[in-house]
Amino acid sequence: MDSEIVNGGASNGHTDLEAAVLQRYGNAAEEVEACLCLPVSYDKALLKIIPDEIIEKDYGCGDPSRYIREGETVLDLGSGSGKACFIISQIVGAKGKVIGVDFNPPMLELARKYQNAIGDKIGFHNVEFRRGKIQDLKTNLELVDQYLHEYPVRSLGDLANLEAYTDKIRSELPLIADNSVDVIVSNCVLNLVRPEDKKRLFAEMYRVLRRGGRVAISDIVSDEAVPEHLAQNADLWSACVSGAFQEEEFLRAFEDAKFHGMQIEELRSEAYQTVEGIEFRAITVTAYKGKEGPCIERNHAVVYRGPWKQVVDDDGHTLERGARMAVCDKTFKLYSQAPYAGQFILVPPFDEVPPDRDNPFDCSRDHKRHPRETKGMEYKVTQISAALCGPDSNCCP
């Protein structure tokens, strides 16, 4: 990277990082800035109906649209020119929905410019774009702009009224409602959020997802922690470099926000940028929402298939290969779904435990489950396979 960029953007801690991002991407909506993206192979069939202007002014480092299914409601954080939204709209189909959220007015203007024409070509209109900050998915900034146009802030009283109005729309007309989307995607945007807002960003993602929903996030991560003097460099920050999470911290941020099943789908071997020996590269991560709730004992067991001798899940369960491990009803259901489905043999009880006999699962117990717990302590069945190995069969000596 050019040393003028590395040194020229520093401001000794006084850089307004958000303003730098807004200005840079506003300019990038007007003129193509090639250094803001990495080469990504998209499905060419899905690009045919998208105008060149949108494709040329799309900036990202991955393709989270690969993880979308038909009929889903998808939220794109930092939707930019709208390319990912228009790709995903074709995947989810007429029964699905796509919402793009961006903070940058020129980018929103570019995306909306072609919105109706693309919908006409596809045959349905299932995309909309909303203005907001991805770390605050409750505040509709276009409503705030409209309010300020009618009621400019000229006094402390006006400011108090603005704050009251903002609180009202956050509660009654949130930009994105609680538990309202199936999937969240984002492409090289999370790193642009200020450090003090990143924890809130992950909490907001969790809030708006439905139970069982998931995220598919492409972003930039660093192999080492980014030192403060680089983090305060506005040019590096707005170039998706110095605001990057360190690799392990990126996964931990999902874990801290209560996501489960985090999985690295892709981690590029080549570096996007290298600054002072620190390598920055593209990563794509998927993660899921939905492990909340009480741990109920219903005599379920699971058998981990392998290939590892043992694994530890996000709740600290140690699962030994080939052993019947005791799990609560909630964990049993989780293991039957993505991303765990197929890794376990699920062993339900012979007799369902009725709700009126529910007891809390003892998380401190021996994690192995004796077969009699699932079969029932009074299980005394004797069964000889005479029908299979009878006189006329060829399976017995």
Side-chain angles (χ1 to χ4, degrees), residues 72-97:
E72 294 182 316
T73 296
V74 181
L75 172 64
D76 183 8
L77 299 182
S79 51
S81 71
K83 185 177 84 171
C85 290
F86 296 129
I87 289 173
I88 292 169
S89 72
Q90 299 171 74
I91 298 172
V92 300
K95 294 183 179 179
K97 183 178 180 180

Side-chain angles (χ1 to χ4, degrees), residues 385-397:
S385 301
L388 295 177
C389 289
D392 297 326
S393 74
N394 59 6
C395 67
C396 300

Side-chain angles (χ1 to χ4, degrees), residues 172-205:
E172 299 178 5
L173 297 168
L175 185 73
I176 307 293
D178 295 1
N179 310 305
S180 62
V181 299
D182 299 307
V183 193
I184 295 174
V185 299
S186 184
N187 196 351
C188 207
V189 176
L190 270 58
N191 65 81
L192 296 173
V193 174
R194 297 180 304 179
E196 59 267 31
D197 291 333
K198 280 179 170 156
K199 184 175 182 180
R200 183 183 183 191
L201 163 64
F202 281 81
E204 280 291 84
M205 288 194 285

Side-chain angles (χ1 to χ4, degrees), residues 229-241:
H229 72 278
L230 292 182
Q232 290 298 327
N233 185 302
D235 290 327
L236 288 177
W237 191 281
S238 61
C240 300
V241 176

